[in-house]
Amino acid sequence: MFFFTIIISDSIVPYSEIINNGGDLITDTSRFSEAPEYRNGPECSVSYLNTTSSCEPSHVHIAMTLDKHYLRGSMAAILSVLKHASCPENVFFHFIATTNSVDSMPSQLSELVRSTFPSLYFKLYLFNSHLLKNRISSSIREALENPLNYARNYLGDILEICVDRVIYLDSDLLVVDDIAKLWRVSLSKNRIIGAPEYCKANFTGYFTNRFWSDPNLARVFLTRKPCYFNTGVMVMDLKGFRERKCRERIERWMEVQKEKRIYELGSLPPFLLEFGGNVEPIEHRGTSMG
């Protein structure tokens, strides 16, 4: 039986110490200590020669967002992955930043990551938040309206076509087990998503009465037994995600939300609507959420 242990907390405070009065990132990155180098052992299979390419078959692909306000959490998450990885040099990070930032911000983010993790294999992508124009609806918490919360909807478009599988991780978690175990999870029954499920949670509470009282909407779950699942830790079959046009389907649910207000949270409910009841459950042990 597979177990993947995570610690999740939403209590990470903005790393305001590295933001100056103008809102730009300070170029002096000495506030983050340089991480140790984590190298592969002899048991690790490495087939790539060009470590800057994301298309090498030995890579374990991880996608994360980078937000200047939550860099402390991101740095801790990256370190936790490398520290516990059996083959850390096989891990390739795909970082996504928003184009809402000032022009210099992406390069500064990249420099910050490189100075903290000199041996890290990664690529930084710019997420065009204009794709979400008129699609984000107001939420119960303003932070849930951040466009980067929706970047996972577009991973199939953002990442290279050669990346047909990825682990998506929120920036507010610490991994305390070998990421390779999660990478090897088999998605059975032609499933697109693998994630920790919490079937004791009140699933109906994630949607409004208007949703449940509309038979045309509620019937989406007629043939499924949905459980709440943690979208902050997901194994995603990007090939299937692209072929089944899951991004377009999620966008349609966001448009329904704008018209009828069928949920109160931000980017989570569209994933529940699209995949709830058809998720590969990932066993989780010792998981705490704050």
Side-chain angles (χ1 to χ4, degrees):
M1 181 177 293
F2 168 78
F3 292 96
F4 184 73
T5 308
I6 57 175
I7 301 173
I8 304 175
S9 173
D10 59 6
S11 61
I12 296 174
V13 297
Y15 192 44
S16 57
E17 294 92 333
I18 61 172
I19 306 299
N20 67 13
N21 293 331
D24 296 337
L25 193 69
I26 292 176
T27 55
D28 179 8
T29 59
S30 61
R31 295 179 186 271
F32 288 119
S33 299
E34 182 176 318
E37 289 192 3
Y38 293 97
R39 295 300 185 186
N40 284 356
E43 72 282 1
C44 297
S45 172
V46 181
S47 63
Y48 54 84
L49 297 175
N50 181 7
T51 56
T52 62
S53 171
S54 60
C55 295
E56 299 294 345
S58 294
H59 285 325
V60 172
H61 296 281
I62 298 176
M64 292 177 57
T65 60
L66 278 185
D67 188 314
K68 65 180 181 181
H69 296 295
Y70 298 95
L71 285 173
R72 180 183 294 172
S74 300
M75 296 298 136
I78 297 166
L79 180 63
S80 70
V81 170
L82 297 176
K83 182 177 180 179
H84 296 282
S86 56
C87 300
E89 290 183 270
N90 288 28
V91 179
F92 194 101
F93 280 89
H94 304 264
F95 297 122
I96 303 160
T98 179
T99 52
N100 279 347
S101 304
V102 295
D103 292 341
S104 61
M105 183 60 67
S107 62
Q108 290 181 337
L109 286 173
S110 182
E111 290 171 8
L112 180 60
V113 173
R114 177 62 65 203
S115 66
T116 309
F117 303 97
S119 59
L120 190 71
Y121 304 139
F122 73 92
K123 185 172 182 178
L124 180 68
Y125 305 78
L126 294 183
F127 174 52
N128 183 4
S129 57
H130 292 296
L131 294 171
L132 297 167
K133 186 177 181 180
N134 299 323
R135 287 197 172 104
I136 297 181
S137 57
S138 60
S139 183
I140 58 175
R141 294 206 312 260
E142 185 179 350
L144 298 177
E145 300 170 26
N146 186 331
L148 279 179
N149 291 336
Y150 297 85
R152 57 192 170 202
N153 302 2
Y154 297 88
L155 288 178
D157 303 291
I158 295 173
L159 305 190
E160 291 88 346
I161 195 68
C162 64
V163 181
D164 55 15
R165 182 182 177 96
V166 70
I167 297 171
Y168 174 81
L169 297 178
D170 272 351
S171 296
D172 58 348
L173 61 81
L174 296 177
V175 177
V176 293
D177 203 349
D178 186 1
I179 199 69
K181 295 181 182 179
L182 187 58
W183 181 253
R184 292 194 293 265
V185 166
S186 176
L187 299 178
S188 61
K189 300 179 182 178
N190 209 25
R191 289 167 172 158
I192 301 294
I193 297 291
E197 284 191 316
Y198 303 87
C199 292
K200 293 182 180 180
N202 179 15
F203 187 84
T204 60
Y206 289 95
F207 302 95
T208 62
N209 290 334
R210 185 170 186 178
F211 172 84
W212 294 113
S213 62
D214 187 329
N216 291 324
L217 294 174
R219 69 181 180 182
V220 68
F221 296 121
L222 190 62
T223 59
R224 294 189 263 164
K225 294 182 178 179
C227 294
Y228 165 78
F229 64 93
N230 182 6
T231 54
V233 182
M234 293 189 294
V235 180
M236 303 177 67
D237 172 11
L238 286 188
K239 184 174 184 292
F241 196 90
R242 297 178 181 115
E243 291 176 349
R244 298 189 203 178
K245 299 187 180 301
C246 294
R247 184 259 297 167
E248 292 87 343
R249 294 162 65 90
I250 290 172
E251 286 181 333
R252 284 198 290 271
W253 281 118
M254 294 172 66
E255 291 164 2
V256 172
Q257 161 72 354
K258 291 288 288 187
E259 179 184 350
K260 298 186 176 182
R261 193 69 182 182
I262 60 175
Y263 52 81
E264 300 296 342
L265 295 174
S267 59
L268 167 64
F271 260 78
L272 299 180
L273 286 162
E274 179 62 22
F275 300 109
N278 194 25
V279 172
E280 186 70 31
I282 294 174
E283 291 287 347
H284 47 94
R285 179 176 57 181
T287 302
S288 62
M289 302 183 68

